[in-house]
Amino acid sequence: MEAIESHVPRDTRTNAPQSGPPPGVLAVVFTALFLGGLALSTVLAGGDPFPSPFGGSDAITAYFREHGDAVRVSGALQFAASVPLAIYAATVSARLNRLGVRAPGATIALAGGVLAAAFLACSGLVTWVLSHAEVTQRPELVRALQYLAFGLGGPGHVVLLGLLVAGIAVPGLLAGLLPRALAVAGLAVAAVAELATLVLLTEGAALLLPIARFTGLAWLIAAGFLLPRSRARIRARVPEEG
């Protein structure tokens, strides 16, 4: 038994199991893959942006027919981005538990992050399907699949991403795990993300999606780097902030 335990990696500073990959780095990787998909697909499409599902059917069908490679890259990188997001949610949830958070926040962060990753992965796969010529020959199928991809990667993903942010921000504020300004900003981001549900009822609410998505990406990066590894680091930071 002693020989087995000697090979178990431990954090020598806390005498606890290692906390996994740095969440800040995972958030940067997730953001880079997601934004890289947007940028690279636009370049491959000759500068034409990905069409909105609220546009005209002819223009949408023409885009998918003419830019199969761009659509394929967009779907692939969306799918790839879901992996570091899921790992981020698991890592942050485990760290919150180790920091003594017994309220639902840690579980909400895990559930929101894993579901947000799953919805983004499904959106990426549906987008990948739209890159195939056989599909683009049927305009009604293109429209249906684009609505599905948008629903999964738009309001579906963003609303659940808001749960991840809220699950970190609430204990971050109440337990002093994050700087107060960052925690309050996280609550605001989460609120906007939840309001993005309105996109399913009215096109006018679509502006909420990029606001919540991009501010959420920036917030997750900041929180990932600032969330402490141990209670000792919280006690060391309090006098500095005071």
Side-chain angles (χ1 to χ4, degrees):
M1 288 296 293
E2 292 180 359
I4 295 175
E5 291 177 356
S6 65
H7 292 287
V8 177
R10 289 185 175 273
D11 187 329
T12 57
R13 290 168 295 184
T14 61
N15 198 32
Q18 288 184 338
S19 57
V25 174
L26 290 169
V28 169
V29 174
F30 162 56
T31 301
L33 287 171
F34 182 82
L35 296 182
L38 296 179
L40 188 55
S41 63
T42 301
V43 171
L44 291 175
D48 293 339
F50 204 86
S52 165
F54 306 122
S57 296
D58 292 341
I60 289 173
T61 303
Y63 178 91
F64 287 107
R65 283 178 179 172
E66 297 169 9
H67 305 302
D69 289 341
V71 176
R72 188 173 299 110
V73 167
S74 175
L77 289 180
Q78 274 193 52
F79 180 82
S82 69
V83 176
L85 177 59
I87 300 173
Y88 179 99
T91 303
V92 167
S93 176
R95 183 171 294 189
L96 289 174
N97 282 321
R98 202 175 68 216
L99 288 169
V101 175
R102 296 293 177 261
T107 304
I108 291 172
L110 178 61
V114 169
L115 287 172
F119 273 56
L120 186 63
C122 290
S123 176
L125 292 175
V126 174
T127 301
W128 175 79
V129 171
L130 280 165
S131 71
H132 291 76
E134 301 91 332
V135 175
T136 59
Q137 300 307 311
R138 300 178 59 185
E140 71 281 0
L141 182 58
V142 170
R143 289 291 279 176
L145 289 175
Q146 192 197 13
Y147 277 127
L148 178 59
F150 172 77
L152 291 167
H157 169 69
V158 169
V159 169
L160 293 165
L161 196 69
L163 287 183
L164 170 60
V165 172
I168 303 169
V170 171
L173 177 64
L174 298 180
L177 303 178
L178 292 171
R180 182 178 179 82
L182 180 64
V184 172
L187 295 178
V189 170
V192 175
E194 301 317 301
L195 287 174
T197 302
L198 295 173
V199 177
L200 299 175
L201 300 176
T202 174
E203 297 177 15
L207 182 62
L208 295 172
L209 291 175
I211 294 174
R213 190 193 303 275
F214 295 118
T215 57
L217 292 176
W219 193 90
L220 289 174
I221 292 173
F225 282 113
L226 293 176
L227 190 66
R229 289 176 177 268
S230 65
R231 280 285 178 181
R233 294 193 176 189
I234 301 173
R235 290 191 293 269
R237 188 174 63 193
V238 171
E240 296 176 3
E241 293 182 349

PDB file of all heavy atoms in Angstrom, residues 82 85 111-121 152 156-158 160-161 164:
ATOM      1  N   SER A  82     -15.396  22.711 -27.170  1.00  0.00           N
ATOM      2  CA  SER A  82     -16.230  22.181 -26.095  1.00  0.00           C
ATOM      3  C   SER A  82     -15.417  21.346 -25.098  1.00  0.00           C
ATOM      4  O   SER A  82     -15.796  21.226 -23.935  1.00  0.00           O
ATOM      5  CB  SER A  82     -17.360  21.321 -26.673  1.00  0.00           C
ATOM      6  OG  SER A  82     -16.861  20.116 -27.235  1.00  0.00           O
ATOM      7  N   LEU A  85     -13.724  23.480 -22.359  1.00  0.00           N
ATOM      8  CA  LEU A  85     -14.788  24.064 -21.540  1.00  0.00           C
ATOM      9  C   LEU A  85     -15.297  23.050 -20.520  1.00  0.00           C
ATOM     10  O   LEU A  85     -15.501  23.391 -19.342  1.00  0.00           O
ATOM     11  CB  LEU A  85     -15.933  24.548 -22.431  1.00  0.00           C
ATOM     12  CG  LEU A  85     -17.148  25.112 -21.689  1.00  0.00           C
ATOM     13  CD1 LEU A  85     -16.761  26.307 -20.813  1.00  0.00           C
ATOM     14  CD2 LEU A  85     -18.245  25.518 -22.677  1.00  0.00           C
ATOM     15  N   ALA A 111     -22.638  21.596 -13.568  1.00  0.00           N
ATOM     16  CA  ALA A 111     -23.748  21.259 -14.462  1.00  0.00           C
ATOM     17  C   ALA A 111     -23.842  22.250 -15.619  1.00  0.00           C
ATOM     18  O   ALA A 111     -23.996  21.854 -16.784  1.00  0.00           O
ATOM     19  CB  ALA A 111     -25.056  21.249 -13.674  1.00  0.00           C
ATOM     20  N   GLY A 112     -23.736  23.551 -15.306  1.00  0.00           N
ATOM     21  CA  GLY A 112     -23.821  24.563 -16.356  1.00  0.00           C
ATOM     22  C   GLY A 112     -22.700  24.431 -17.360  1.00  0.00           C
ATOM     23  O   GLY A 112     -22.918  24.502 -18.571  1.00  0.00           O
ATOM     24  N   GLY A 113     -21.478  24.223 -16.864  1.00  0.00           N
ATOM     25  CA  GLY A 113     -20.334  24.125 -17.763  1.00  0.00           C
ATOM     26  C   GLY A 113     -20.379  22.888 -18.639  1.00  0.00           C
ATOM     27  O   GLY A 113     -20.092  22.951 -19.844  1.00  0.00           O
ATOM     28  N   VAL A 114     -20.730  21.739 -18.060  1.00  0.00           N
ATOM     29  CA  VAL A 114     -20.790  20.501 -18.841  1.00  0.00           C
ATOM     30  C   VAL A 114     -21.897  20.579 -19.886  1.00  0.00           C
ATOM     31  O   VAL A 114     -21.717  20.175 -21.048  1.00  0.00           O
ATOM     32  CB  VAL A 114     -20.993  19.294 -17.907  1.00  0.00           C
ATOM     33  CG1 VAL A 114     -21.320  18.034 -18.713  1.00  0.00           C
ATOM     34  CG2 VAL A 114     -19.744  19.063 -17.065  1.00  0.00           C
ATOM     35  N   LEU A 115     -23.063  21.114 -19.495  1.00  0.00           N
ATOM     36  CA  LEU A 115     -24.155  21.240 -20.462  1.00  0.00           C
ATOM     37  C   LEU A 115     -23.830  22.266 -21.545  1.00  0.00           C
ATOM     38  O   LEU A 115     -24.149  22.063 -22.724  1.00  0.00           O
ATOM     39  CB  LEU A 115     -25.446  21.632 -19.739  1.00  0.00           C
ATOM     40  CG  LEU A 115     -26.092  20.522 -18.904  1.00  0.00           C
ATOM     41  CD1 LEU A 115     -27.255  21.069 -18.086  1.00  0.00           C
ATOM     42  CD2 LEU A 115     -26.571  19.380 -19.801  1.00  0.00           C
ATOM     43  N   ALA A 116     -23.185  23.373 -21.164  1.00  0.00           N
ATOM     44  CA  ALA A 116     -22.773  24.368 -22.165  1.00  0.00           C
ATOM     45  C   ALA A 116     -21.804  23.749 -23.162  1.00  0.00           C
ATOM     46  O   ALA A 116     -21.882  24.003 -24.370  1.00  0.00           O
ATOM     47  CB  ALA A 116     -22.136  25.575 -21.480  1.00  0.00           C
ATOM     48  N   ALA A 117     -20.879  22.928 -22.658  1.00  0.00           N
ATOM     49  CA  ALA A 117     -19.934  22.245 -23.545  1.00  0.00           C
ATOM     50  C   ALA A 117     -20.662  21.261 -24.455  1.00  0.00           C
ATOM     51  O   ALA A 117     -20.352  21.158 -25.650  1.00  0.00           O
ATOM     52  CB  ALA A 117     -18.877  21.522 -22.716  1.00  0.00           C
ATOM     53  N   ALA A 118     -21.635  20.538 -23.911  1.00  0.00           N
ATOM     54  CA  ALA A 118     -22.381  19.561 -24.706  1.00  0.00           C
ATOM     55  C   ALA A 118     -23.187  20.240 -25.806  1.00  0.00           C
ATOM     56  O   ALA A 118     -23.216  19.776 -26.958  1.00  0.00           O
ATOM     57  CB  ALA A 118     -23.307  18.749 -23.795  1.00  0.00           C
ATOM     58  N   PHE A 119     -23.835  21.358 -25.468  1.00  0.00           N
ATOM     59  CA  PHE A 119     -24.614  22.084 -26.469  1.00  0.00           C
ATOM     60  C   PHE A 119     -23.708  22.645 -27.562  1.00  0.00           C
ATOM     61  O   PHE A 119     -24.047  22.622 -28.746  1.00  0.00           O
ATOM     62  CB  PHE A 119     -25.407  23.216 -25.808  1.00  0.00           C
ATOM     63  CG  PHE A 119     -26.750  22.785 -25.282  1.00  0.00           C
ATOM     64  CD1 PHE A 119     -26.858  21.742 -24.368  1.00  0.00           C
ATOM     65  CD2 PHE A 119     -27.910  23.418 -25.681  1.00  0.00           C
ATOM     66  CE1 PHE A 119     -28.086  21.335 -23.875  1.00  0.00           C
ATOM     67  CE2 PHE A 119     -29.152  23.022 -25.202  1.00  0.00           C
ATOM     68  CZ  PHE A 119     -29.246  21.976 -24.302  1.00  0.00           C
ATOM     69  N   LEU A 120     -22.534  23.149 -27.174  1.00  0.00           N
ATOM     70  CA  LEU A 120     -21.597  23.682 -28.165  1.00  0.00           C
ATOM     71  C   LEU A 120     -21.080  22.560 -29.067  1.00  0.00           C
ATOM     72  O   LEU A 120     -20.944  22.752 -30.287  1.00  0.00           O
ATOM     73  CB  LEU A 120     -20.426  24.367 -27.460  1.00  0.00           C
ATOM     74  CG  LEU A 120     -19.429  25.098 -28.375  1.00  0.00           C
ATOM     75  CD1 LEU A 120     -20.107  26.239 -29.112  1.00  0.00           C
ATOM     76  CD2 LEU A 120     -18.251  25.615 -27.563  1.00  0.00           C
ATOM     77  N   ALA A 121     -20.788  21.402 -28.485  1.00  0.00           N
ATOM     78  CA  ALA A 121     -20.336  20.259 -29.280  1.00  0.00           C
ATOM     79  C   ALA A 121     -21.407  19.836 -30.281  1.00  0.00           C
ATOM     80  O   ALA A 121     -21.107  19.576 -31.457  1.00  0.00           O
ATOM     81  CB  ALA A 121     -19.972  19.098 -28.354  1.00  0.00           C
ATOM     82  N   LEU A 152     -28.705  25.501 -30.522  1.00  0.00           N
ATOM     83  CA  LEU A 152     -27.772  24.816 -29.635  1.00  0.00           C
ATOM     84  C   LEU A 152     -26.592  25.692 -29.261  1.00  0.00           C
ATOM     85  O   LEU A 152     -26.216  25.795 -28.086  1.00  0.00           O
ATOM     86  CB  LEU A 152     -27.263  23.538 -30.320  1.00  0.00           C
ATOM     87  CG  LEU A 152     -28.268  22.407 -30.508  1.00  0.00           C
ATOM     88  CD1 LEU A 152     -27.711  21.359 -31.460  1.00  0.00           C
ATOM     89  CD2 LEU A 152     -28.634  21.774 -29.174  1.00  0.00           C
ATOM     90  N   GLY A 156     -28.962  28.242 -26.371  1.00  0.00           N
ATOM     91  CA  GLY A 156     -28.726  27.061 -25.544  1.00  0.00           C
ATOM     92  C   GLY A 156     -27.378  27.112 -24.851  1.00  0.00           C
ATOM     93  O   GLY A 156     -27.286  26.965 -23.628  1.00  0.00           O
ATOM     94  N   HIS A 157     -26.331  27.333 -25.621  1.00  0.00           N
ATOM     95  CA  HIS A 157     -24.978  27.375 -25.060  1.00  0.00           C
ATOM     96  C   HIS A 157     -24.789  28.566 -24.134  1.00  0.00           C
ATOM     97  O   HIS A 157     -24.233  28.431 -23.035  1.00  0.00           O
ATOM     98  CB  HIS A 157     -23.966  27.432 -26.208  1.00  0.00           C
ATOM     99  CG  HIS A 157     -22.569  27.743 -25.777  1.00  0.00           C
ATOM    100  ND1 HIS A 157     -21.795  26.858 -25.051  1.00  0.00           N
ATOM    101  CD2 HIS A 157     -21.806  28.853 -25.951  1.00  0.00           C
ATOM    102  CE1 HIS A 157     -20.614  27.400 -24.814  1.00  0.00           C
ATOM    103  NE2 HIS A 157     -20.594  28.606 -25.340  1.00  0.00           N
ATOM    104  N   VAL A 158     -25.243  29.751 -24.545  1.00  0.00           N
ATOM    105  CA  VAL A 158     -24.989  30.975 -23.772  1.00  0.00           C
ATOM    106  C   VAL A 158     -25.724  30.965 -22.437  1.00  0.00           C
ATOM    107  O   VAL A 158     -25.155  31.347 -21.404  1.00  0.00           O
ATOM    108  CB  VAL A 158     -25.382  32.216 -24.604  1.00  0.00           C
ATOM    109  CG1 VAL A 158     -25.394  33.467 -23.731  1.00  0.00           C
ATOM    110  CG2 VAL A 158     -24.408  32.398 -25.766  1.00  0.00           C
ATOM    111  N   LEU A 160     -26.594  28.396 -20.654  1.00  0.00           N
ATOM    112  CA  LEU A 160     -25.917  27.442 -19.773  1.00  0.00           C
ATOM    113  C   LEU A 160     -24.534  27.926 -19.367  1.00  0.00           C
ATOM    114  O   LEU A 160     -24.072  27.656 -18.248  1.00  0.00           O
ATOM    115  CB  LEU A 160     -25.831  26.088 -20.468  1.00  0.00           C
ATOM    116  CG  LEU A 160     -27.200  25.417 -20.660  1.00  0.00           C
ATOM    117  CD1 LEU A 160     -27.114  24.272 -21.653  1.00  0.00           C
ATOM    118  CD2 LEU A 160     -27.754  24.936 -19.332  1.00  0.00           C
ATOM    119  N   LEU A 161     -23.871  28.666 -20.255  1.00  0.00           N
ATOM    120  CA  LEU A 161     -22.592  29.281 -19.886  1.00  0.00           C
ATOM    121  C   LEU A 161     -22.802  30.266 -18.735  1.00  0.00           C
ATOM    122  O   LEU A 161     -21.948  30.417 -17.860  1.00  0.00           O
ATOM    123  CB  LEU A 161     -21.986  29.988 -21.091  1.00  0.00           C
ATOM    124  CG  LEU A 161     -20.496  30.354 -21.006  1.00  0.00           C
ATOM    125  CD1 LEU A 161     -19.641  29.096 -21.048  1.00  0.00           C
ATOM    126  CD2 LEU A 161     -20.113  31.294 -22.144  1.00  0.00           C
ATOM    127  N   LEU A 164     -22.642  28.487 -15.496  1.00  0.00           N
ATOM    128  CA  LEU A 164     -21.255  28.261 -15.087  1.00  0.00           C
ATOM    129  C   LEU A 164     -20.684  29.506 -14.424  1.00  0.00           C
ATOM    130  O   LEU A 164     -20.069  29.429 -13.351  1.00  0.00           O
ATOM    131  CB  LEU A 164     -20.412  27.878 -16.307  1.00  0.00           C
ATOM    132  CG  LEU A 164     -18.887  27.827 -16.117  1.00  0.00           C
ATOM    133  CD1 LEU A 164     -18.500  26.806 -15.047  1.00  0.00           C
ATOM    134  CD2 LEU A 164     -18.206  27.502 -17.437  1.00  0.00           C
TER     135      LEU A 164
END
